[in-house]
Amino acid sequence: MPHLSHLFHCRRYHLKNFSTTTNTPVTRSPPYLPLSHPTFLIWAANTSLGKTLVSAGLAASFLLSESSSDPRKFLYLKPIQTGFPSGSDSSFVFRKLSHLSLRRQPHSPLVSSNHVLRASLPAANSVLGYGCGTSCERGMGNLGWYEERRVEGEGGSGAVSELVCKTLYAWREAVSPHLAAERESGVVEDAVVMDTLHKCLRLELEGDGDARKKMDVFCVVESAGGVASPGPSGSLQCDLYRPLRLPAILVGDGRLGGISGTISAYESLKLRGYDIAAVVFEDHGLVNEVPLLSYLRNRVPVLVLPPVPEDLSNDLMEWFEESRGVFDSLKEKMLSAYSERIKRLHGMPKKAGEVFWWPFTQHKLVPEGAVTVIDSRYGENFAVFKAHNNEFITQQFDACASWWTQGPDANLQTELARDMGYAAARFGHVMFPENVYEPALECAELLLEGVGKGWASRAYFSDNGSTAIEIALKMAFRKFSFDHGLLSDFQKDNMAGRGVELMVLALRGSYHGDTLGAMEAQAPSSYTGFLQQPWYTGRGLFLDPPTVYMRNSIWNLALPEGFRFKTSKLENIAFNSRDDIFHKRRDGSDLAEIYSSYISKQLSQYSGSGRFNHIGALILEPVIQGAGGMHMVDPLFQRVLANECRRKRIPVIFDEVFTGFWRLGKETAAELLCCAPDIACFGKLMTGGVIPLATTLATNAVFTSFLADSKQLLNP
Amino acid sequence: MPHLSHLFHCRRYHLKNFSTTTNTPVTRSPPYLPLSHPTFLIWAANTSLGKTLVSAGLAASFLLSESSSDPRKFLYLKPIQTGFPSGSDSSFVFRKLSHLSLRRQPHSPLVSSNHVLRASLPAANSVLGYGCGTSCERGMGNLGWYEERRVEGEGGSGAVSELVCKTLYAWREAVSPHLAAERESGVVEDAVVMDTLHKCLRLELEGDGDARKKMDVFCVVESAGGVASPGPSGSLQCDLYRPLRLPAILVGDGRLGGISGTISAYESLKLRGYDIAAVVFEDHGLVNEVPLLSYLRNRVPVLVLPPVPEDLSNDLMEWFEESRGVFDSLKEKMLSAYSERIKRLHGMPKKAGEVFWWPFTQHKLVPEGAVTVIDSRYGENFAVFKAHNNEFITQQFDACASWWTQGPDANLQTELARDMGYAAARFGHVMFPENVYEPALECAELLLEGVGKGWASRAYFSDNGSTAIEIALKMAFRKFSFDHGLLSDFQKDNMAGRGVELMVLALRGSYHGDTLGAMEAQAPSSYTGFLQQPWYTGRGLFLDPPTVYMRNSIWNLALPEGFRFKTSKLENIAFNSRDDIFHKRRDGSDLAEIYSSYISKQLSQYSGSGRFNHIGALILEPVIQGAGGMHMVDPLFQRVLANECRRKRIPVIFDEVFTGFWRLGKETAAELLCCAPDIACFGKLMTGGVIPLATTLATNAVFTSFLADSKQLLNP
């Protein structure tokens, strides 16, 4: 029997409590997760299923393995603890490891510590009166509650292994954290919990720089209760921890009913974008692993722990010995999941460069190092993998909302994911013509009561903005043909129309999408060159629009060449406020008159009867031209244009793919223009970017121009 | 105290058991759910949370309410019971209601019955020896185990209310049904359980026709264990019951950890497309309803039942009285959810006709009665609402797989829904250019190793087949320009190309999508008339293809006009088998030579140097022309065509949107043709129809023709 010595430390610190910390502003660093060492989040299907036993078992397997002679460090973090201090999971792990290390005699000396960072006032008071009846000393000081123990190993080499256990926030009552926090006036915001957690991870995983990096470190973060148990703020924990998206271990339920609870918990984690590396549960003789593996299609390992003695006085040492093989195997699976993930993350930019063909990209100008590896999204940020010196995941602001398509915050994102899962499970894919189903009907109704309110009566669905524009053009041309007596000729001979050229009236700088039909409705530009669009001809009359812009806090009007000679007549080409630009009183201004006569003159070339070239539609991006360069067109000009076209019975199309759904602060840009279209296209934000979906809304008059007694005229 | 009389019935039936029934073929009627009366499925977040108490409380509220004087019927169905007969939930409901009816003295006499249809042999034997110690008689007969009781009400009117309790399948061991079924050799297939259940529902809800329809009936079906507990076949119950998609009541968990379990169970139900009408749970003093309502955004009612006495000898009569208000309220919420659903289903065809603009549809030819209301999909069937005489939901075969876009079976549909929910939760929407993320990379890799194996090196993603075709055309034209020395001219002057017309070589009858660019690549047809496609010109050389067809079990070749004169030279214009049609040995046939010279002649018009019209791409639907009329083109002709084009360095595009992913029995139609393209488009089945996604795959040579040192040449 080798010589064993026990070293006891006792430092004097105050236990921090919420009566001060919640009132102190916290400096938050951006969420940042070191990936230099394996770090897992331990979840459970329910409370009391043995998360802490699993944590302790993993710590033992990692620190006390016979094969390991190099010093190692195991980090155990319990961000949220209730029932403190009588129940403290970090203290449990600390004590069990101390006992196990005495039994197993590791090669290196093991220093274990347990630290409680912050506790609610009642919990803190309890700690002050907490007896110290074991052989281990505990202390209180200005950095929190602390206990430490040292066990010398067999070899007695200089290198020391470490077990670091930390409880971040603790409350006294043994209830759900949201209740304990509320009752003990110790509510902590989600962002504060996450900030403390990631600072802790950085400190412990990266603190010593290269030395630490070379050391074998393993970290588990243990949640409280079940996967969807509320945290201290009331947010569900599976939502609270989402920004870091740590790989997960799910502690399942081996009892009767436990298959269901385990599968449901697994699905709640998947519905938040977590990856589950393994499921582990205590055996209750019901072979729950069989249906679980079948459900998981054997893609996620399921491990079974021996039954835990029910006798509360049992010190579990025998159980830990009996479970050793399972924990070793679990640890190995976690290590290999970690190393596979890191390998994959490192390899992704190269692979992307080999197999992707990105849109709008000259691949030769994108070196491997310039490729961004997006691990996930949380609200307005990407979680991005970086591999400078240390590997880590950090947050990067999505400044263009992923080309104006992303909208929802983190909570809505999860809700959308669930609702989308629901619709996909309920319907899979079902065809649309002559059918009706609830989500489509509800969506159409919401569109007509929302962005189409007051003018639209029909919703035509398609799958992207460009296609929605092509549909809008066909709608407009049919309406024009109907209104101008061309339709009856075409009906007699469907090829008769081939002598007729229907053109759009559009503004230079507009962009309506990338399919050929949408391209034809835009003016020649760098996007329409032969090399990009070999079939582009540009079937429109394209006008240069007046724009407004801000300089030195003043809004100015910029008139294109064609208007310059008339500016002497104009009084106001600057505006006091943005609201002035949109004000309806401008309709009576000289400028309105100039716009009107200019437009009339342009249109007059196409209004003669007997001509074969017609302006069959007006198409514009109301207020802002997006892809064309974020120009704000003078809304008065667009309003006058729409009114002139309406007078001549030319259907008006608004392309609101970019501007719709409150992107400009109003539900539609049409509302800003004070002018309703006959047809409008929406996309992007319509689904929060979650699936490709677009719609073309139309008035009843547009719709009825397609009605006929035969199928010949069916189709926009 | 009114006079009460008890009437006891005893009928002689045999209890059916699995030793015979599992070997007897079952005649299955198509899944069919009457909607004439409210029917709900009672689920629970875990086992032993009080589903049966809720069922009994609802039965009491419905049958014994003071306000109701009309006779009513409550149907309680327990499809799957383990621990039988000592534990029988239908017997529990039967007994509790008998006791409660004695206490509450209903207006109408109440006849209660309890019936066990089938039990496993050991359970059946136990029933045979089951004592009858209460005042109620029980019997065995050739229709199963049966007990009945009659309680006369206060009024004693002629009309009789009924409580009908039925256990459909029972096993002895008090374990999960899949284990009990296996151990007692009583496995029952899912389809058999569902068949028995829906026959039972029809019998009890529609049995008496109009009389029954007018009677107030309320039905609950109670599941076993938790939402994802396995049924007797091992399928999870939430999957097993999916074909009927009954509206759900979720019995939650009011204990510590119960918020999590309840939310996860709720999410598992949503992920199978269920609608949850209410959540109800037993109070344990933890106010779990607050976080639950917050999670549910108050959109689903949450009801709290008083604590259930723990003393097992308690007859619960006091508890049922105390819970009366909660059950009344739950019943009301269920009744109003039912009537709102029925109202909505009835109104949907009319609303659809008012707000939808369906594609490919002449609305005037679709009367309200012709609109199909799809309530959900299960595998290859729609669940369709019908309102002839009685309202009901029945299954309708989706014979065209929703325009060849739906593929997955019912299980895969749920898996896809979960995986889609995962990806949506993990990423929401993130932009693609210069980024990489796991699902996109994995998808690209799978495409290149699958449908692109052996030839493709790049995947370009878009959102529908039509857009994928436009991308393919741009790729092909660039490659052609690169190979034929046109590119350098265009680079010097991007407008130089405007004098050049790049055309496609395509087959008459092909269809490549509905956006203008895809339309331009198809021959004039009923789809391309001026009224449907005002901008269509048809930019191609369109050849009439030889086709093959089967008549009288023999495969024949049909040659178009242009070939007829040569048929005298041909030996085989019929084939012994389908395999013969595809056989490579046909490459050496006379027909191959005829094809080849015909194609050469056609192409020769476009091969002169200095000409401005070029055939810049071959585009074809390999093997089957889908939208064009399901014609099978002679594969030899397509192979010769592709080879001739390749000889002339004209890029070959395969439109596999319709044929790809095993739709024709091979992974791609290219495989059937024994011929690889330069570019190919895939869509539809790619996501099992669950989201719009398409891809254009290309060879490395096509990709590199876009590489340049400036952004000018970037973009297909």
Side-chain angles (χ1 to χ4, degrees), chain B residues 5 107 124 263 340 411 463 501 536 593 605 672 707:
Chain B
S5 80
H107 286 274
I263 288 173
E340 273 165 35
N411 292 331
D463 41 18
E501 177 78 10
Y536 172 81
E593 205 176 293
Q605 306 167 46
L672 283 167
L707 294 182

Side-chain angles (χ1 to χ4, degrees), chain A residues 306-327:
Chain A
V308 179
E310 283 174 27
D311 174 11
L312 289 177
S313 67
N314 186 307
D315 72 356
L316 300 176
M317 287 301 111
E318 291 306 319
W319 182 84
F320 275 110
E321 292 308 331
E322 206 188 330
S323 311
R324 208 162 158 171
V326 181
F327 284 123

Side-chain angles (χ1 to χ4, degrees), chain B residues 434-483:
Chain B
E434 304 188 26
N435 293 332
V436 58
Y437 28 88
E438 191 55 49
L441 183 57
E442 203 180 336
C443 183
E445 288 173 332
L446 287 170
L447 287 166
L448 296 176
E449 290 158 16
V451 290
K453 190 167 186 176
W455 65 272
S457 79
R458 293 279 164 172
Y460 192 113
F461 292 112
S462 58
D463 41 18
N464 57 48
S466 189
T467 308
I469 292 291
E470 297 212 4
I471 291 159
L473 291 170
K474 292 183 201 174
M475 288 179 175
F477 291 155
R478 172 70 60 92
K479 179 67 165 65
F480 180 86
S481 304
F482 185 89
D483 285 349

